[in-house]
Amino acid sequence: QVQLVESGGGLVQPGGSLRLSCVASGNIFMIHVMGWYRQGPGKQRDLVAAMAKDGSTNYADSVKGRFTVARDIAQNTVYLQMNGLKVEDTAVYHCDADVENTLGSVEGYWGPGIQVTVSS
């Protein structure tokens, strides 16, 4: 089994910044893709940003130029630096990881989520 634990959320004013972190632990041989999704009130869960193990990235159009995803491969950690936050960025942010275990199986895992609220 694999566990994902997010940290770094909270309340911030519009235009402010936050940095989210997510650490994966458990039966991990390799993490292929690691990233972030978010779910606003009454909305579906959508991709925010993700990074593959080769360093390639994928961003939602709404966050391009404001958010940056990064990984520490050795520490099984993914970060999301969020700058220029807007009210519409308010959501529960979930960490996601596609994990290959020591037996060669690949499964997707979710973190429990962390609240980010942007409000004046």
Side-chain angles (χ1 to χ4, degrees), residues 14-103:
S17 297
L18 281 176
R19 187 189 193 215
L20 304 183
S21 300
C22 172
V23 180
S25 61
N27 184 5
I28 299 171
F29 173 71
M30 181 188 304
I31 300 179
H32 291 270
V33 181
M34 202 170 186
W36 298 90
Y37 285 69
R38 67 185 179 187
Q39 188 166 16
K43 297 182 179 180
Q44 67 182 22
R45 190 178 296 185
D46 291 324
L47 173 71
V48 178
M51 178 177 278
K53 60 183 175 67
D54 64 1
S56 59
T57 57
N58 187 20
Y59 289 92
D61 287 342
S62 59
V63 307
K64 286 180 181 177
R66 299 189 297 124
F67 292 9
T68 303
V69 64
R71 287 178 63 179
D72 184 333
I73 301 293
Q75 298 297 322
N76 294 326
T77 301
V78 65
Y79 304 97
L80 185 67
Q81 178 66 43
M82 304 186 291
N83 299 328
L85 281 160
K86 304 176 180 180
V87 171
E88 51 264 41
D89 294 318
T90 295
V92 176
Y93 284 70
H94 294 268
C95 178
D96 168 75
D98 294 335
V99 179
E100 180 176 346
N101 64 25
T102 54
L103 298 179

